[in-house]
Amino acid sequence: MRPVKSKKPLSLALAFATLLGLLSVGSYSASYSDVQSSRWSAEDISYATEQGYMNGVGDGKFNPEGGMERAMIVTVLYRMEGEPEIEYFEKFKDVPDGEYYSKAVIWASRNEITNGTTSSTFDPYDQLTREQMAAFFARYAETKYINTDLGADVKSYSDYGQINDYAVAPLAWAKRYGIINGDTDTTLSPKKTATREQFAAILHRFDKAEFGVNDYRLAYNEPIVHSEYVEKEYPLVTDADFYVAVDGSDSADGSFDRPFATFARAKEAVRELKKTAEKEIKVAFKAGNYGELDNISFTEEDSGTSKVPITYCAYGDGDVTFSNGVVIPADKFKPIEESDKYLFNERNYSSIYKADLSEKADEISDISALFSGTGICHEARYPNKNSDGSDDFFADQTTTRDPFASIELQASLPRVVAKFRTVEGMKVTGHLRTGWLIDTFPVKSYDYDTHVLTFDFENWTPSNGYPLTEEGSGGFPLMYEGRTTDTVFFSNLSDQLDDDGEYWFDKKTNQLYVYKPSGDYTIAVGGSFMTIDEADYLSFVGLDFNGSTAKAITATSADNLKFDRCTMSNIAGSVVIEVNRCSSFNLQSCELYKFGDTGVRVEAREKSKRRELVSQNIVIDNNYFHDFGLIESWSEGISLDNAYEAKVSHNYFKNGAHAAIRYDNCIDTLIEYNVFDNMMWTTADYGAVYTWESVTYRSNKIRYNLF
């Protein structure tokens, strides 16, 4: 595994800057007669002094080799915390009121940085050892939610056996981040008296330490599975019942030396074996791209049992990939030709490249979603972004003319549209039906004199499921007047191809044009990967599903399902994993990214039975949801409906257009230890965690999350 070091979350980084007074110190500036600029700790002593953490001992001296007393260390930590107001009381009989350290000791005790040497004594003038100094500092770090259980290996030091049990984890943590190093290359010297200059060095190193998201207790207990963070390495499976490999054959026997070639053949073999099996059945897939997986169906005949569960897993190095998308390699893109230039704005000619998709014409009639290495691409549109990066365009410059056909453009919009080379094929995206409902409408015609824009609703499918009908009959008409907080913009315009990664697809010639393309691109073209219907006790481990225009995986009335360390990406359908009326569903350590709508949608009970308090055991833990959501649809990382005692924990949500979690009609839902990073970047009418009907139900908890 190769975790990549990441920066502190912004909120905690700012907190440290405020509380610890972070600044870059690169030279010795404090003046002590016993600290020469060449001394190893000179910069550390200068830093600790300038920050007001430590002072000299008098007569212009710092006494760098002098010992650290227990009273000194809690006083310094108290200063680091900004000396919060504290009311003195007699906690320890040897800590009277009025001493320089009195309030610091009470503060440290309340924050569990110290418990004293006994229940009634603190021994303020006792000299600290190096291991005690590490323990004090680690407990202070715990008050910042830093996970001090994450440590380096200190067993290799020759004096490891001298470390008291309570100090092993603090020393290992401090060693991991370079806060405390060995006394020599081979010793830690845990019982050696700690010096003032050593403590100054610890303060300086702690302030400079780079703590990543995974280093905080508010976040994960283990690394997130993601290609940029952790290499996928699965152990060689030697006890599988059947093996599958890209170069296998379905006429083989499925052994390690003679593997099957397809998922379908392996599933067929499992059906036969489970008739006599008495223990877990395991199917192991060798790394490789298996190509299209056309809605493989798991029914009751494919069920496992509590005694004979069934697992489909990856083994060895590399990815086991099922791909229903068309990949366009980077070298497929070529500069546009002279005959192409009439389509585009001349100032952009040199930045536009094209890929000929004629060979894929049978698969690609249109591009419903294009994905690059960085996320979902958008069609050439106007405008691209506001100056602040938002998507709030022209929303107060439209009005409805016919609630089932047309709108009128007002203010500056007629002048904007008049500049477009053509309105043929143009689309309009916006809040044109309600303030919270966004959709994309194809244009049928535009009258340049009256500024009336008529939509082609005969060839339109609502991306959000709400038809064009009267409100109250399942849909909404065009009757919502725009607001400055809502979105309206124009897309599918070749002459507006002018933003990095933007694309325009010419259906007539099957040419894909991209502005400054970078790397490979994927077009979602295929359908669902798998359907699970009344099939129980199934686990899928380490499998990758890439590219789909439909729901990638659908499970209905199935119990004890698990997806572990799976990756799902480039999904253009309404949901990546849909779970209906299932119990004991577990999604753990998976990565879902570059999807257009919802990551995981769980409909735990039928709505008519939503008050039945039967736990479904829904657990969604330690997953990574990122770079998701198309602007013309709602999107959530996780959507929970009618669930009882569902648990959503330790997940990381990053770069989402709308909500990270939506829950409705839920009881005793627990949402904890999640990180929400850059949510709601296309809307102001949603929430990182969002609900409405849930307010009428009880005991849902949202706690210990980092926003």
Side-chain angles (χ1 to χ4, degrees):
M1 299 168 65
R2 51 176 181 86
V4 171
K5 199 174 192 180
S6 55
K7 294 182 179 179
K8 293 185 182 83
L10 179 60
S11 58
L12 286 177
L14 290 175
F16 276 112
T18 301
L19 295 174
L20 307 185
L22 295 179
L23 52 85
S24 175
V25 175
S27 62
Y28 175 62
S29 60
S31 179
Y32 294 110
S33 60
D34 56 352
V35 181
Q36 303 303 313
S37 60
S38 59
R39 191 179 185 92
W40 73 268
S41 60
E43 290 183 9
D44 302 316
I45 291 170
S46 177
Y47 179 80
T49 301
E50 290 177 358
Q51 297 302 304
Y53 298 160
M54 300 182 72
N55 301 314
V57 295
D59 296 328
K61 296 182 178 181
F62 185 79
N63 190 19
E65 296 181 3
M68 279 293 294
E69 296 173 347
R70 289 169 57 83
M72 289 181 186
I73 193 170
V74 294
T75 300
V76 172
L77 296 177
Y78 184 52
R79 290 171 184 163
M80 291 178 70
E81 193 63 19
E83 296 183 302
E85 187 61 36
I86 195 87
E87 184 176 343
Y88 173 82
F89 69 97
E90 189 176 304
K91 169 71 174 178
F92 303 108
K93 63 183 181 182
D94 55 358
V95 180
D97 192 12
E99 299 292 337
Y100 80 88
Y101 54 80
S102 301
K103 290 186 177 181
V105 172
I106 301 305
W107 165 82
S109 175
R110 285 183 172 177
N111 285 276
E112 299 182 351
I113 296 172
T114 180
N115 293 318
T117 51
T118 70
S119 60
S120 61
T121 60
F122 177 72
D123 290 325
Y125 301 108
D126 274 7
Q127 298 284 303
L128 281 174
T129 63
R130 284 167 54 86
E131 68 176 5
Q132 290 170 344
M133 180 172 61
F136 266 95
F137 213 85
R139 293 176 196 141
Y140 174 73
E142 288 278 358
T143 68
K144 304 299 174 194
Y145 304 104
I146 296 171
N147 186 359
T148 58
D149 291 336
L150 301 173
D153 181 12
V154 294
K155 293 182 180 179
S156 60
Y157 287 97
S158 60
D159 53 2
Y160 170 76
Q162 299 176 23
I163 304 173
N164 280 321
D165 289 345
Y166 75 84
V168 172
L171 277 169
W173 165 76
K175 181 69 174 64
R176 174 189 174 103
Y177 296 99
I179 296 170
I180 295 179
N181 297 315
D183 194 33
T184 69
D185 290 341
T186 59
T187 61
L188 276 172
S189 303
K191 298 294 191 291
K192 190 175 180 179
T193 300
T195 66
R196 287 169 52 80
E197 65 181 340
Q198 288 172 349
F199 191 64
I202 288 176
L203 298 176
H204 195 185
R205 293 167 188 165
F206 179 78
D207 275 12
K208 293 193 303 180
E210 288 285 340
F211 294 108
V213 163
N214 289 339
D215 301 322
Y216 292 93
R217 288 196 181 278
L218 281 173
Y220 321 100
N221 291 327
E222 56 187 272
I224 301 255
V225 175
H226 178 253
S227 58
E228 293 178 6
Y229 295 92
V230 178
E231 289 181 350
K232 290 187 176 179
E233 297 179 357
Y234 301 101
L236 182 64
V237 178
T238 58
D239 61 343
D241 297 280
F242 302 107
Y243 291 86
V244 185
V246 171
D247 57 356
S249 170
D250 281 354
S251 62
D253 61 7
S255 62
F256 184 85
D257 295 324
R258 301 182 64 235
F260 296 136
T262 66
F263 207 134
R265 178 66 185 92
K267 186 172 74 76
E268 180 183 301
V270 169
R271 279 190 177 185
E272 188 62 31
L273 177 60
K274 75 178 195 128
K275 295 176 181 177
T276 57
E278 296 183 354
K279 62 179 181 63
E280 178 188 16
I281 298 174
K282 187 179 296 183
V283 176
F285 290 82
K286 185 179 179 180
N289 192 327
Y290 288 79
E292 187 175 359
L293 186 64
D294 187 14
N295 197 24
I296 188 168
S297 177
F298 291 84
T299 66
E300 193 172 0
E301 293 180 87
D302 303 298
S303 278
T305 65
S306 58
K307 182 181 178 182
V308 185
I310 300 169
T311 298
Y312 296 88
C313 66
Y315 75 89
D317 296 346
D319 297 330
V320 173
T321 301
F322 299 94
S323 179
N324 290 357
V326 171
V327 177
I328 309 168
D331 59 10
K332 183 80 170 176
F333 288 94
K334 308 297 181 185
I336 60 172
E337 302 170 17
E338 195 66 34
S339 59
D340 299 309
K341 292 183 177 179
Y342 78 96
L343 296 165
F344 308 105
N345 190 307
E346 61 183 14
R347 69 173 181 270
N348 301 322
Y349 288 166
S350 62
S351 298
I352 299 173
Y353 292 74
K354 70 174 181 178
D356 187 352
L357 305 183
S358 298
E359 295 178 358
K360 301 291 185 179
D362 292 341
E363 299 178 65
I364 305 169
S365 58
D366 196 359
I367 297 180
S368 59
L370 179 71
F371 301 90
S372 70
T374 57
I376 301 169
C377 304
H378 62 74
E379 290 183 303
R381 71 188 190 188
Y382 182 87
N384 295 314
K385 289 283 182 184
N386 284 333
S387 59
D388 64 356
S390 66
D391 279 318
D392 301 333
F393 309 124
F394 302 121
D396 57 345
Q397 299 183 25
T398 66
T399 187
T400 301
R401 285 292 292 267
D402 182 331
F404 296 97
S406 60
I407 62 173
E408 179 185 335
L409 306 184
Q410 300 176 327
S412 66
L413 281 189
R415 294 191 298 275
V416 167
V417 175
K419 295 178 182 179
F420 298 155
R421 192 155 299 183
T422 177
V423 296
E424 181 182 354
M426 185 174 74
K427 303 173 185 176
V428 179
T429 296
H431 295 83
L432 302 177
R433 297 198 284 164
T434 74
W436 51 267
L437 182 66
I438 190 169
D439 215 324
T440 296
F441 309 96
V443 172
K444 185 175 183 179
S445 64
Y446 178 64
D447 189 317
Y448 287 89
D449 295 323
T450 63
H451 314 314
V452 172
L453 191 151
T454 303
F455 296 118
D456 182 12
F457 285 127
E458 293 180 1
N459 299 301
W460 171 74
T461 301
S463 63
N464 45 49
Y466 291 96
L468 191 75
T469 60
E470 292 289 354
E471 186 174 356
S473 59
F476 299 91
L478 291 168
M479 59 183 293
Y480 191 79
E481 307 304 325
R483 301 178 303 187
T484 56
T485 57
D486 297 329
T487 303
V488 173
F489 62 86
F490 307 88
S491 63
N492 197 33
L493 296 162
S494 64
D495 60 316
Q496 297 303 313
L497 192 61
D498 56 6
D499 194 27
D500 289 2
E502 223 171 22
Y503 74 93
W504 181 73
F505 181 57
D506 189 342
K507 298 179 185 179
K508 298 175 182 177
T509 62
N510 294 308
Q511 303 297 305
L512 174 65
Y513 298 89
V514 177
Y515 189 85
K516 294 183 180 180
S518 176
D520 297 343
Y521 285 74
T522 300
I523 303 172
V525 296
S528 175
F529 289 100
M530 67 172 66
T531 301
I532 303 169
D533 190 6
E534 298 186 353
D536 306 332
Y537 290 94
L538 297 177
S539 295
F540 304 91
V541 181
L543 306 182
D544 291 2
F545 303 92
N546 175 39
S548 174
T549 58
K551 297 173 185 176
I553 296 168
T554 302
T556 305
S557 299
D559 296 336
N560 291 282
L561 297 181
K562 177 186 286 188
F563 289 88
D564 180 7
R565 286 167 286 167
C566 293
T567 299
M568 302 171 196
S569 61
N570 302 327
I571 309 298
S574 60
V575 64
V576 180
I577 304 175
E578 181 156 65
V579 181
N580 298 307
R581 301 185 303 282
C582 297
S583 64
S584 295
F585 171 76
N586 190 334
L587 184 80
Q588 66 180 36
S589 302
C590 292
E591 180 189 13
L592 281 73
Y593 67 105
K594 290 195 284 187
F595 53 90
D597 200 326
T598 300
V600 182
R601 180 181 298 149
V602 178
E603 174 77 47
R605 302 185 304 281
E606 296 179 41
K607 287 190 176 181
S608 61
K609 300 179 180 179
R610 62 190 181 190
R611 291 184 179 276
E612 291 182 0
L613 297 185
V614 178
S615 176
Q616 292 86 24
N617 192 26
I618 306 297
V619 177
I620 303 175
D621 182 77
N622 198 50
N623 302 284
Y624 186 22
F625 300 83
H626 65 99
D627 300 292
F628 60 90
L630 293 172
I631 194 169
E632 58 264 28
S633 64
W634 267 339
S635 63
E636 298 110 9
I638 298 170
S639 176
L640 298 174
D641 291 284
N642 305 298
Y644 175 51
E645 291 188 342
K647 182 179 180 182
V648 180
S649 57
H650 304 102
N651 300 287
Y652 183 20
F653 302 90
K654 184 174 183 178
N655 298 342
H658 298 103
I661 300 171
R662 182 182 66 83
Y663 70 104
D664 297 302
N665 298 310
C666 294
I667 299 174
D668 288 349
T669 298
L670 181 60
I671 299 172
E672 64 178 2
Y673 298 109
N674 301 284
V675 174
F676 305 94
D677 184 357
N678 192 30
M679 289 291 107
M680 295 173 59
W681 48 262
T682 66
T683 181
D685 188 10
Y686 226 177
V689 180
Y690 189 79
T691 184
W692 57 84
E693 291 179 276
S694 292
V695 297
T696 62
Y697 294 90
R698 63 175 175 79
S699 302
N700 297 302
K701 296 182 178 68
I702 304 174
R703 65 187 187 188
Y704 313 138
N705 299 284
L706 176 63
F707 292 84

